[in-house]
Amino acid sequence: MKLILLSMLVLLTAGCANEGTNDATPGSGEITENAEQLEEQDSEELDDTDAFDEESKDDQAEEANEETAEEDASDYNQLKASIVDQFEHARPTDWGENVEGVITQIDTEEKVVALTLDACDGTPDSYDEELIGFLIDEQIPATLFINAQWIQVNEDAFNELAENSLFEIANHGYYHKPLSVDGESAYGIMGTENVEEVFDEIYKNQARIKELTGEAPDYFRSGTAYYDDVAVEIIEALGLKAVNYNVLGDAGGTFNQAQIANAFNLASEGSIFLFHMNKPQSDISAGVKEGVEMLRKQGYDFVQLGEYDDYLK
């Protein structure tokens, strides 16, 4: 009897032990499952935190951009008000391409000439890539007077040109208007009508070029290259120099190849040429290629205006 009771005791004890072991296994699973759930929860919380951080950064960047834009607008308006206050009662006494203060040549005895190229409008197919490609291939430096409407249509090309050290970027106005404080016209194009419009024509494009390149241009040429003398003073008050030319290279893209090549015969020490880079269907590229080769044979070098800034007159 004692033996039977002892055997039953052993079986009961073993059963308890087995039960305990079986209980431990599900318990471990629950702990593991709970840990995984916590990890997933933490991961989701981290993802949410990262997303929040990114949103926060985006919001901060947007706020910073808005603040910068507001500051820029404020600076623009303050400068405009200052210019208007300074010039609103000034009356022009001269109108044309060769008004006093407008630069037309480099004052030097060195055999150098400057090619200046205008990009005047934003019509489709308004980029003479053949002409620019020739200048790049031949390493001919030039000063490019770029209009805001051309930039808008050809922004990628503009950025490439601005990054190329061969080219110096200059300001050719916002709407490509003659620059007048009282609405003078040139070639049938109505000019700016008051000091406010003169300021906008100059400075809106100035700000756009600086925004894209990080640098503000030093030179300005009006649409049609016409100015009155008050407008020239405003250009100077804004820290720029008005630049025209003394060799008409293509007459607005109307010259044929022979006429363009012949224009190079008018070169002398310090000449500033005017060509256009927004008329790819014209003969400009062919004429410039011929003229450049001719001047090279005569011993001329080609320079940017900035290289002779102190000698511009």
mmCIF file of all heavy atoms in Angstrom, residues 289-307:
data_model
loop_
_atom_site.group_PDB
_atom_site.id
_atom_site.type_symbol
_atom_site.label_atom_id
_atom_site.label_comp_id
_atom_site.label_asym_id
_atom_site.label_seq_id
_atom_site.Cartn_x
_atom_site.Cartn_y
_atom_site.Cartn_z
ATOM 1 N N LYS A 289 31.300 83.927 -87.656
ATOM 2 C CA LYS A 289 32.413 82.996 -87.886
ATOM 3 C C LYS A 289 33.424 83.593 -88.860
ATOM 4 O O LYS A 289 34.643 83.555 -88.626
ATOM 5 C CB LYS A 289 31.890 81.667 -88.443
ATOM 6 C CG LYS A 289 31.096 80.843 -87.451
ATOM 7 C CD LYS A 289 30.547 79.582 -88.121
ATOM 8 C CE LYS A 289 29.687 78.777 -87.171
ATOM 9 N NZ LYS A 289 29.099 77.576 -87.823
ATOM 10 N N GLU A 290 32.923 84.164 -89.923
ATOM 11 C CA GLU A 290 33.804 84.768 -90.929
ATOM 12 C C GLU A 290 34.529 85.987 -90.362
ATOM 13 O O GLU A 290 35.743 86.158 -90.562
ATOM 14 C CB GLU A 290 32.956 85.165 -92.149
ATOM 15 C CG GLU A 290 33.760 85.631 -93.341
ATOM 16 C CD GLU A 290 32.891 85.916 -94.553
ATOM 17 O OE1 GLU A 290 31.778 85.357 -94.652
ATOM 18 O OE2 GLU A 290 33.333 86.711 -95.422
ATOM 19 N N GLY A 291 33.802 86.838 -89.643
ATOM 20 C CA GLY A 291 34.390 88.063 -89.108
ATOM 21 C C GLY A 291 35.414 87.797 -88.014
ATOM 22 O O GLY A 291 36.458 88.465 -87.952
ATOM 23 N N VAL A 292 35.143 86.825 -87.155
ATOM 24 C CA VAL A 292 36.082 86.485 -86.094
ATOM 25 C C VAL A 292 37.401 86.004 -86.674
ATOM 26 O O VAL A 292 38.498 86.406 -86.215
ATOM 27 C CB VAL A 292 35.481 85.419 -85.152
ATOM 28 C CG1 VAL A 292 36.562 84.767 -84.294
ATOM 29 C CG2 VAL A 292 34.409 86.041 -84.260
ATOM 30 N N GLU A 293 37.329 85.164 -87.680
ATOM 31 C CA GLU A 293 38.556 84.663 -88.313
ATOM 32 C C GLU A 293 39.349 85.812 -88.931
ATOM 33 O O GLU A 293 40.583 85.861 -88.836
ATOM 34 C CB GLU A 293 38.196 83.630 -89.381
ATOM 35 C CG GLU A 293 39.386 82.996 -90.082
ATOM 36 C CD GLU A 293 40.302 82.240 -89.137
ATOM 37 O OE1 GLU A 293 39.832 81.782 -88.064
ATOM 38 O OE2 GLU A 293 41.512 82.119 -89.455
ATOM 39 N N MET A 294 38.652 86.756 -89.524
ATOM 40 C CA MET A 294 39.303 87.911 -90.135
ATOM 41 C C MET A 294 40.041 88.751 -89.080
ATOM 42 O O MET A 294 41.211 89.121 -89.270
ATOM 43 C CB MET A 294 38.267 88.763 -90.850
ATOM 44 C CG MET A 294 38.835 90.006 -91.546
ATOM 45 S SD MET A 294 37.539 90.928 -92.395
ATOM 46 C CE MET A 294 36.561 91.494 -90.999
ATOM 47 N N LEU A 295 39.383 89.046 -87.957
ATOM 48 C CA LEU A 295 40.021 89.859 -86.920
ATOM 49 C C LEU A 295 41.171 89.124 -86.258
ATOM 50 O O LEU A 295 42.177 89.741 -85.874
ATOM 51 C CB LEU A 295 38.995 90.289 -85.874
ATOM 52 C CG LEU A 295 37.996 91.369 -86.283
ATOM 53 C CD1 LEU A 295 37.201 91.841 -85.073
ATOM 54 C CD2 LEU A 295 38.679 92.560 -86.942
ATOM 55 N N ARG A 296 41.054 87.826 -86.103
ATOM 56 C CA ARG A 296 42.165 87.050 -85.546
ATOM 57 C C ARG A 296 43.405 87.174 -86.425
ATOM 58 O O ARG A 296 44.524 87.308 -85.918
ATOM 59 C CB ARG A 296 41.757 85.584 -85.402
ATOM 60 C CG ARG A 296 40.999 85.274 -84.109
ATOM 61 C CD ARG A 296 40.620 83.823 -84.049
ATOM 62 N NE ARG A 296 40.321 83.377 -82.696
ATOM 63 C CZ ARG A 296 39.861 82.180 -82.383
ATOM 64 N NH1 ARG A 296 39.630 81.286 -83.349
ATOM 65 N NH2 ARG A 296 39.633 81.858 -81.129
ATOM 66 N N LYS A 297 43.217 87.129 -87.710
ATOM 67 C CA LYS A 297 44.355 87.255 -88.632
ATOM 68 C C LYS A 297 44.997 88.632 -88.538
ATOM 69 O O LYS A 297 46.189 88.795 -88.821
ATOM 70 C CB LYS A 297 43.895 86.985 -90.065
ATOM 71 C CG LYS A 297 43.570 85.517 -90.335
ATOM 72 C CD LYS A 297 43.104 85.303 -91.766
ATOM 73 C CE LYS A 297 42.808 83.826 -92.039
ATOM 74 N NZ LYS A 297 42.302 83.599 -93.413
ATOM 75 N N GLN A 298 44.195 89.625 -88.124
ATOM 76 C CA GLN A 298 44.731 90.982 -87.962
ATOM 77 C C GLN A 298 45.346 91.191 -86.575
ATOM 78 O O GLN A 298 45.826 92.283 -86.271
ATOM 79 C CB GLN A 298 43.610 92.005 -88.174
ATOM 80 C CG GLN A 298 43.053 92.017 -89.594
ATOM 81 C CD GLN A 298 41.886 92.979 -89.742
ATOM 82 O OE1 GLN A 298 41.686 93.884 -88.918
ATOM 83 N NE2 GLN A 298 41.092 92.801 -90.795
ATOM 84 N N GLY A 299 45.325 90.164 -85.746
ATOM 85 C CA GLY A 299 45.971 90.248 -84.436
ATOM 86 C C GLY A 299 45.092 90.721 -83.308
ATOM 87 O O GLY A 299 45.590 91.062 -82.222
ATOM 88 N N TYR A 300 43.764 90.716 -83.494
ATOM 89 C CA TYR A 300 42.858 91.150 -82.439
ATOM 90 C C TYR A 300 42.551 90.015 -81.470
ATOM 91 O O TYR A 300 42.468 88.851 -81.850
ATOM 92 C CB TYR A 300 41.537 91.653 -83.040
ATOM 93 C CG TYR A 300 41.595 93.070 -83.556
ATOM 94 C CD1 TYR A 300 41.906 93.337 -84.884
ATOM 95 C CD2 TYR A 300 41.346 94.146 -82.702
ATOM 96 C CE1 TYR A 300 41.953 94.635 -85.362
ATOM 97 C CE2 TYR A 300 41.398 95.450 -83.167
ATOM 98 C CZ TYR A 300 41.703 95.696 -84.499
ATOM 99 O OH TYR A 300 41.757 96.991 -84.962
ATOM 100 N N ASP A 301 42.369 90.395 -80.201
ATOM 101 C CA ASP A 301 41.870 89.482 -79.181
ATOM 102 C C ASP A 301 40.455 89.900 -78.800
ATOM 103 O O ASP A 301 40.066 91.067 -78.954
ATOM 104 C CB ASP A 301 42.762 89.509 -77.935
ATOM 105 C CG ASP A 301 44.118 88.868 -78.186
ATOM 106 O OD1 ASP A 301 44.160 87.843 -78.895
ATOM 107 O OD2 ASP A 301 45.117 89.397 -77.663
ATOM 108 N N PHE A 302 39.707 88.953 -78.254
ATOM 109 C CA PHE A 302 38.321 89.202 -77.847
ATOM 110 C C PHE A 302 38.238 89.178 -76.318
ATOM 111 O O PHE A 302 38.817 88.305 -75.664
ATOM 112 C CB PHE A 302 37.396 88.154 -78.466
ATOM 113 C CG PHE A 302 37.402 88.189 -79.966
ATOM 114 C CD1 PHE A 302 38.328 87.443 -80.686
ATOM 115 C CD2 PHE A 302 36.510 88.988 -80.663
ATOM 116 C CE1 PHE A 302 38.354 87.478 -82.071
ATOM 117 C CE2 PHE A 302 36.534 89.038 -82.050
ATOM 118 C CZ PHE A 302 37.456 88.287 -82.758
ATOM 119 N N VAL A 303 37.512 90.147 -75.757
ATOM 120 C CA VAL A 303 37.466 90.298 -74.295
ATOM 121 C C VAL A 303 36.034 90.516 -73.828
ATOM 122 O O VAL A 303 35.156 90.907 -74.600
ATOM 123 C CB VAL A 303 38.338 91.487 -73.835
ATOM 124 C CG1 VAL A 303 39.793 91.280 -74.219
ATOM 125 C CG2 VAL A 303 37.806 92.815 -74.397
ATOM 126 N N GLN A 304 35.815 90.259 -72.545
ATOM 127 C CA GLN A 304 34.570 90.643 -71.898
ATOM 128 C C GLN A 304 34.665 92.094 -71.431
ATOM 129 O O GLN A 304 35.755 92.597 -71.154
ATOM 130 C CB GLN A 304 34.298 89.743 -70.685
ATOM 131 C CG GLN A 304 34.081 88.280 -71.009
ATOM 132 C CD GLN A 304 33.955 87.435 -69.755
ATOM 133 O OE1 GLN A 304 34.170 87.912 -68.631
ATOM 134 N NE2 GLN A 304 33.616 86.164 -69.939
ATOM 135 N N LEU A 305 33.523 92.747 -71.311
ATOM 136 C CA LEU A 305 33.523 94.137 -70.849
ATOM 137 C C LEU A 305 34.149 94.272 -69.464
ATOM 138 O O LEU A 305 34.872 95.228 -69.194
ATOM 139 C CB LEU A 305 32.087 94.673 -70.809
ATOM 140 C CG LEU A 305 31.356 94.789 -72.148
ATOM 141 C CD1 LEU A 305 29.929 95.254 -71.920
ATOM 142 C CD2 LEU A 305 32.079 95.733 -73.091
ATOM 143 N N GLY A 306 33.889 93.308 -68.595
ATOM 144 C CA GLY A 306 34.386 93.385 -67.235
ATOM 145 C C GLY A 306 35.899 93.403 -67.128
ATOM 146 O O GLY A 306 36.445 93.915 -66.140
ATOM 147 N N GLU A 307 36.560 92.842 -68.117
ATOM 148 C CA GLU A 307 38.022 92.845 -68.106
ATOM 149 C C GLU A 307 38.578 94.264 -68.276
ATOM 150 O O GLU A 307 39.726 94.530 -67.908
ATOM 151 C CB GLU A 307 38.558 91.953 -69.214
ATOM 152 C CG GLU A 307 38.194 90.483 -69.073
ATOM 153 C CD GLU A 307 38.710 89.678 -70.248
ATOM 154 O OE1 GLU A 307 39.942 89.596 -70.428
ATOM 155 O OE2 GLU A 307 37.880 89.135 -71.001
#
